[in-house]
PDB file of all heavy atoms in Angstrom:
ATOM      1  N   ARG N 309     100.112  94.447 139.148  1.00  0.00           N
ATOM      2  CA  ARG N 309      98.785  94.847 138.864  1.00  0.00           C
ATOM      3  C   ARG N 309      98.235  95.765 139.901  1.00  0.00           C
ATOM      4  O   ARG N 309      97.530  96.753 139.584  1.00  0.00           O
ATOM      5  CB  ARG N 309      97.885  93.602 138.767  1.00  0.00           C
ATOM      6  CG  ARG N 309      96.454  93.897 138.359  1.00  0.00           C
ATOM      7  CD  ARG N 309      95.754  92.656 138.261  1.00  0.00           C
ATOM      8  NE  ARG N 309      96.204  91.884 136.985  1.00  0.00           N
ATOM      9  CZ  ARG N 309      95.415  91.368 136.118  1.00  0.00           C
ATOM     10  NH1 ARG N 309      94.086  91.447 136.294  1.00  0.00           N
ATOM     11  NH2 ARG N 309      95.898  90.738 135.082  1.00  0.00           N
ATOM     12  N   GLU N 310      98.583  95.506 141.131  1.00  0.00           N
ATOM     13  CA  GLU N 310      98.029  96.342 142.268  1.00  0.00           C
ATOM     14  C   GLU N 310      98.668  97.782 142.171  1.00  0.00           C
ATOM     15  O   GLU N 310      98.002  98.733 142.370  1.00  0.00           O
ATOM     16  CB  GLU N 310      98.378  95.747 143.563  1.00  0.00           C
ATOM     17  CG  GLU N 310      97.844  96.499 144.761  1.00  0.00           C
ATOM     18  CD  GLU N 310      98.328  95.850 146.098  1.00  0.00           C
ATOM     19  OE1 GLU N 310      98.837  94.752 146.057  1.00  0.00           O
ATOM     20  OE2 GLU N 310      98.287  96.614 147.059  1.00  0.00           O
ATOM     21  N   LEU N 311      99.983  97.753 141.836  1.00  0.00           N
ATOM     22  CA  LEU N 311     100.590  99.067 141.706  1.00  0.00           C
ATOM     23  C   LEU N 311      99.911  99.903 140.716  1.00  0.00           C
ATOM     24  O   LEU N 311      99.803 101.149 140.868  1.00  0.00           O
ATOM     25  CB  LEU N 311     102.095  98.859 141.281  1.00  0.00           C
ATOM     26  CG  LEU N 311     102.934 100.077 140.971  1.00  0.00           C
ATOM     27  CD1 LEU N 311     103.036 101.003 142.222  1.00  0.00           C
ATOM     28  CD2 LEU N 311     104.259  99.665 140.470  1.00  0.00           C
ATOM     29  N   PHE N 312      99.551  99.336 139.583  1.00  0.00           N
ATOM     30  CA  PHE N 312      98.943 100.187 138.529  1.00  0.00           C
ATOM     31  C   PHE N 312      97.400 100.281 138.517  1.00  0.00           C
ATOM     32  O   PHE N 312      96.786 100.837 137.644  1.00  0.00           O
ATOM     33  CB  PHE N 312      99.340  99.589 137.210  1.00  0.00           C
ATOM     34  CG  PHE N 312     100.816  99.827 136.941  1.00  0.00           C
ATOM     35  CD1 PHE N 312     101.745  98.751 136.925  1.00  0.00           C
ATOM     36  CD2 PHE N 312     101.278 101.091 136.754  1.00  0.00           C
ATOM     37  CE1 PHE N 312     103.042  98.940 136.751  1.00  0.00           C
ATOM     38  CE2 PHE N 312     102.640 101.350 136.561  1.00  0.00           C
ATOM     39  CZ  PHE N 312     103.546 100.337 136.547  1.00  0.00           C
ATOM     40  N   ALA N 313      96.871  99.642 139.646  1.00  0.00           N
ATOM     41  CA  ALA N 313      95.394  99.628 139.663  1.00  0.00           C
ATOM     42  C   ALA N 313      94.816 101.047 139.524  1.00  0.00           C
ATOM     43  O   ALA N 313      93.802 101.193 138.767  1.00  0.00           O
ATOM     44  CB  ALA N 313      94.911  98.937 140.944  1.00  0.00           C
ATOM     45  N   ASP N 314      95.406 101.939 140.173  1.00  0.00           N
ATOM     46  CA  ASP N 314      94.770 103.304 140.099  1.00  0.00           C
ATOM     47  C   ASP N 314      95.220 104.085 138.919  1.00  0.00           C
ATOM     48  O   ASP N 314      94.754 105.204 138.657  1.00  0.00           O
ATOM     49  CB  ASP N 314      95.268 104.102 141.385  1.00  0.00           C
ATOM     50  CG  ASP N 314      94.737 103.437 142.709  1.00  0.00           C
ATOM     51  OD1 ASP N 314      93.710 102.745 142.570  1.00  0.00           O
ATOM     52  OD2 ASP N 314      95.330 103.652 143.714  1.00  0.00           O
ATOM     53  N   TRP N 315      96.036 103.477 138.242  1.00  0.00           N
ATOM     54  CA  TRP N 315      96.825 104.268 137.116  1.00  0.00           C
ATOM     55  C   TRP N 315      96.446 103.961 135.729  1.00  0.00           C
ATOM     56  O   TRP N 315      96.513 104.775 134.851  1.00  0.00           O
ATOM     57  CB  TRP N 315      98.306 103.982 137.302  1.00  0.00           C
ATOM     58  CG  TRP N 315      98.878 104.996 138.214  1.00  0.00           C
ATOM     59  CD1 TRP N 315      98.782 105.128 139.474  1.00  0.00           C
ATOM     60  CD2 TRP N 315      99.704 105.994 137.721  1.00  0.00           C
ATOM     61  NE1 TRP N 315      99.443 106.189 139.961  1.00  0.00           N
ATOM     62  CE2 TRP N 315     100.095 106.739 138.884  1.00  0.00           C
ATOM     63  CE3 TRP N 315     100.265 106.504 136.585  1.00  0.00           C
ATOM     64  CZ2 TRP N 315     100.870 107.878 138.885  1.00  0.00           C
ATOM     65  CZ3 TRP N 315     101.114 107.664 136.521  1.00  0.00           C
ATOM     66  CH2 TRP N 315     101.377 108.277 137.676  1.00  0.00           C
ATOM     67  N   ARG N 316      95.960 102.657 135.604  1.00  0.00           N
ATOM     68  CA  ARG N 316      95.885 102.193 134.223  1.00  0.00           C
ATOM     69  C   ARG N 316      95.058 103.082 133.314  1.00  0.00           C
ATOM     70  O   ARG N 316      95.361 103.209 132.165  1.00  0.00           O
ATOM     71  CB  ARG N 316      95.337 100.794 134.245  1.00  0.00           C
ATOM     72  CG  ARG N 316      95.488 100.055 132.997  1.00  0.00           C
ATOM     73  CD  ARG N 316      95.411  98.601 133.183  1.00  0.00           C
ATOM     74  NE  ARG N 316      96.603  97.948 133.611  1.00  0.00           N
ATOM     75  CZ  ARG N 316      96.731  97.269 134.725  1.00  0.00           C
ATOM     76  NH1 ARG N 316      95.661  97.063 135.463  1.00  0.00           N
ATOM     77  NH2 ARG N 316      97.897  96.725 135.021  1.00  0.00           N
ATOM     78  N   GLU N 317      93.989 103.574 133.836  1.00  0.00           N
ATOM     79  CA  GLU N 317      93.103 104.426 132.986  1.00  0.00           C
ATOM     80  C   GLU N 317      93.646 105.775 132.711  1.00  0.00           C
ATOM     81  O   GLU N 317      93.009 106.506 132.040  1.00  0.00           O
ATOM     82  CB  GLU N 317      91.698 104.439 133.621  1.00  0.00           C
ATOM     83  CG  GLU N 317      91.033 103.112 133.799  1.00  0.00           C
ATOM     84  CD  GLU N 317      90.909 102.318 132.483  1.00  0.00           C
ATOM     85  OE1 GLU N 317      90.662 102.981 131.455  1.00  0.00           O
ATOM     86  OE2 GLU N 317      91.122 101.094 132.435  1.00  0.00           O
ATOM     87  N   LYS N 318      94.681 106.159 133.427  1.00  0.00           N
ATOM     88  CA  LYS N 318      95.052 107.524 133.339  1.00  0.00           C
ATOM     89  C   LYS N 318      96.327 107.699 132.473  1.00  0.00           C
ATOM     90  O   LYS N 318      96.979 108.769 132.471  1.00  0.00           O
ATOM     91  CB  LYS N 318      95.405 108.099 134.757  1.00  0.00           C
ATOM     92  CG  LYS N 318      94.247 108.034 135.753  1.00  0.00           C
ATOM     93  CD  LYS N 318      94.682 108.508 137.047  1.00  0.00           C
ATOM     94  CE  LYS N 318      93.527 108.417 138.004  1.00  0.00           C
ATOM     95  NZ  LYS N 318      93.955 108.640 139.386  1.00  0.00           N
ATOM     96  N   ILE N 319      96.793 106.673 131.808  1.00  0.00           N
ATOM     97  CA  ILE N 319      98.064 106.721 131.155  1.00  0.00           C
ATOM     98  C   ILE N 319      98.094 107.880 130.115  1.00  0.00           C
ATOM     99  O   ILE N 319      98.779 108.780 130.307  1.00  0.00           O
ATOM    100  CB  ILE N 319      98.376 105.379 130.463  1.00  0.00           C
ATOM    101  CG1 ILE N 319      98.399 104.286 131.485  1.00  0.00           C
ATOM    102  CG2 ILE N 319      99.766 105.492 129.732  1.00  0.00           C
ATOM    103  CD1 ILE N 319      98.623 102.914 130.859  1.00  0.00           C
ATOM    104  N   TYR N 320      97.378 107.759 129.194  1.00  0.00           N
ATOM    105  CA  TYR N 320      97.238 108.808 128.225  1.00  0.00           C
ATOM    106  C   TYR N 320      96.124 108.507 127.228  1.00  0.00           C
ATOM    107  O   TYR N 320      95.693 107.423 127.152  1.00  0.00           O
ATOM    108  CB  TYR N 320      98.508 108.984 127.478  1.00  0.00           C
ATOM    109  CG  TYR N 320      99.077 107.740 126.869  1.00  0.00           C
ATOM    110  CD1 TYR N 320      98.737 107.405 125.652  1.00  0.00           C
ATOM    111  CD2 TYR N 320     100.042 106.998 127.492  1.00  0.00           C
ATOM    112  CE1 TYR N 320      99.219 106.183 125.007  1.00  0.00           C
ATOM    113  CE2 TYR N 320     100.582 105.855 126.989  1.00  0.00           C
ATOM    114  CZ  TYR N 320     100.123 105.454 125.767  1.00  0.00           C
ATOM    115  OH  TYR N 320     100.660 104.330 125.191  1.00  0.00           O
ATOM    116  N   THR N 321      95.815 109.501 126.459  1.00  0.00           N
ATOM    117  CA  THR N 321      94.916 109.308 125.440  1.00  0.00           C
ATOM    118  C   THR N 321      95.569 109.746 124.025  1.00  0.00           C
ATOM    119  O   THR N 321      96.455 110.525 124.115  1.00  0.00           O
ATOM    120  CB  THR N 321      93.616 110.163 125.576  1.00  0.00           C
ATOM    121  OG1 THR N 321      94.019 111.457 125.779  1.00  0.00           O
ATOM    122  CG2 THR N 321      92.844 109.638 126.770  1.00  0.00           C
ATOM    123  N   LEU N 322      95.086 109.155 123.034  1.00  0.00           N
ATOM    124  CA  LEU N 322      95.680 109.451 121.721  1.00  0.00           C
ATOM    125  C   LEU N 322      95.291 110.848 121.281  1.00  0.00           C
ATOM    126  O   LEU N 322      94.151 111.271 121.451  1.00  0.00           O
ATOM    127  CB  LEU N 322      95.187 108.475 120.673  1.00  0.00           C
ATOM    128  CG  LEU N 322      95.748 107.110 120.635  1.00  0.00           C
ATOM    129  CD1 LEU N 322      94.969 106.192 119.714  1.00  0.00           C
ATOM    130  CD2 LEU N 322      97.255 107.192 120.157  1.00  0.00           C
ATOM    131  N   GLY N 323      96.240 111.591 120.688  1.00  0.00           N
ATOM    132  CA  GLY N 323      95.845 112.855 120.074  1.00  0.00           C
ATOM    133  C   GLY N 323      95.755 112.629 118.579  1.00  0.00           C
ATOM    134  O   GLY N 323      96.164 111.673 118.079  1.00  0.00           O
ATOM    135  N   PRO N 324      95.275 113.640 117.903  1.00  0.00           N
ATOM    136  CA  PRO N 324      95.319 113.532 116.402  1.00  0.00           C
ATOM    137  C   PRO N 324      96.616 113.518 115.770  1.00  0.00           C
ATOM    138  O   PRO N 324      97.501 114.260 116.352  1.00  0.00           O
ATOM    139  CB  PRO N 324      94.415 114.708 116.013  1.00  0.00           C
ATOM    140  CG  PRO N 324      94.630 115.733 117.063  1.00  0.00           C
ATOM    141  CD  PRO N 324      94.719 114.898 118.329  1.00  0.00           C
ATOM    142  N   ARG N 325      96.836 112.823 114.709  1.00  0.00           N
ATOM    143  CA  ARG N 325      98.083 112.980 114.058  1.00  0.00           C
ATOM    144  C   ARG N 325      97.967 114.014 113.049  1.00  0.00           C
ATOM    145  O   ARG N 325      96.936 114.581 112.890  1.00  0.00           O
ATOM    146  CB  ARG N 325      98.559 111.680 113.547  1.00  0.00           C
ATOM    147  CG  ARG N 325      97.636 110.966 112.559  1.00  0.00           C
ATOM    148  CD  ARG N 325      97.973 109.550 112.450  1.00  0.00           C
ATOM    149  NE  ARG N 325      96.840 108.829 111.887  1.00  0.00           N
ATOM    150  CZ  ARG N 325      96.668 108.649 110.570  1.00  0.00           C
ATOM    151  NH1 ARG N 325      97.524 109.080 109.731  1.00  0.00           N
ATOM    152  NH2 ARG N 325      95.674 107.973 110.122  1.00  0.00           N
ATOM    153  N   ARG N 326      99.056 114.216 112.344  1.00  0.00           N
ATOM    154  CA  ARG N 326      99.041 115.341 111.301  1.00  0.00           C
ATOM    155  C   ARG N 326      98.189 115.041 110.175  1.00  0.00           C
ATOM    156  O   ARG N 326      98.178 113.893 109.596  1.00  0.00           O
ATOM    157  CB  ARG N 326     100.493 115.417 110.899  1.00  0.00           C
ATOM    158  CG  ARG N 326     100.764 116.692 110.086  1.00  0.00           C
ATOM    159  CD  ARG N 326     102.317 116.705 109.893  1.00  0.00           C
ATOM    160  NE  ARG N 326     102.670 117.635 108.807  1.00  0.00           N
ATOM    161  CZ  ARG N 326     103.718 117.457 108.096  1.00  0.00           C
ATOM    162  NH1 ARG N 326     104.598 116.624 108.279  1.00  0.00           N
ATOM    163  NH2 ARG N 326     103.942 118.392 107.116  1.00  0.00           N
ATOM    164  N   ASP N 327      97.230 115.959 109.854  1.00  0.00           N
ATOM    165  CA  ASP N 327      96.372 115.742 108.706  1.00  0.00           C
ATOM    166  C   ASP N 327      97.072 116.117 107.468  1.00  0.00           C
ATOM    167  O   ASP N 327      96.697 117.137 106.795  1.00  0.00           O
ATOM    168  CB  ASP N 327      95.104 116.555 108.999  1.00  0.00           C
ATOM    169  CG  ASP N 327      94.156 116.269 107.818  1.00  0.00           C
ATOM    170  OD1 ASP N 327      94.250 115.275 107.176  1.00  0.00           O
ATOM    171  OD2 ASP N 327      93.190 117.139 107.673  1.00  0.00           O
ATOM    172  N   ALA N 328      98.069 115.395 107.160  1.00  0.00           N
ATOM    173  CA  ALA N 328      98.916 115.800 105.930  1.00  0.00           C
ATOM    174  C   ALA N 328      98.845 114.688 104.857  1.00  0.00           C
ATOM    175  O   ALA N 328      98.723 113.514 105.223  1.00  0.00           O
ATOM    176  CB  ALA N 328     100.429 115.976 106.363  1.00  0.00           C
TER     177      ALA N 328
END
Side-chain angles (χ1 to χ4, degrees):
Chain N
R309 182 176 291 226
E310 185 186 340
L311 174 63
F312 291 111
D314 296 336
W315 269 70
R316 194 161 277 125
E317 299 302 322
K318 299 175 185 172
I319 300 175
Y320 52 85
T321 54
L322 283 169
R325 59 199 161 89
R326 192 176 162 202
D327 184 18

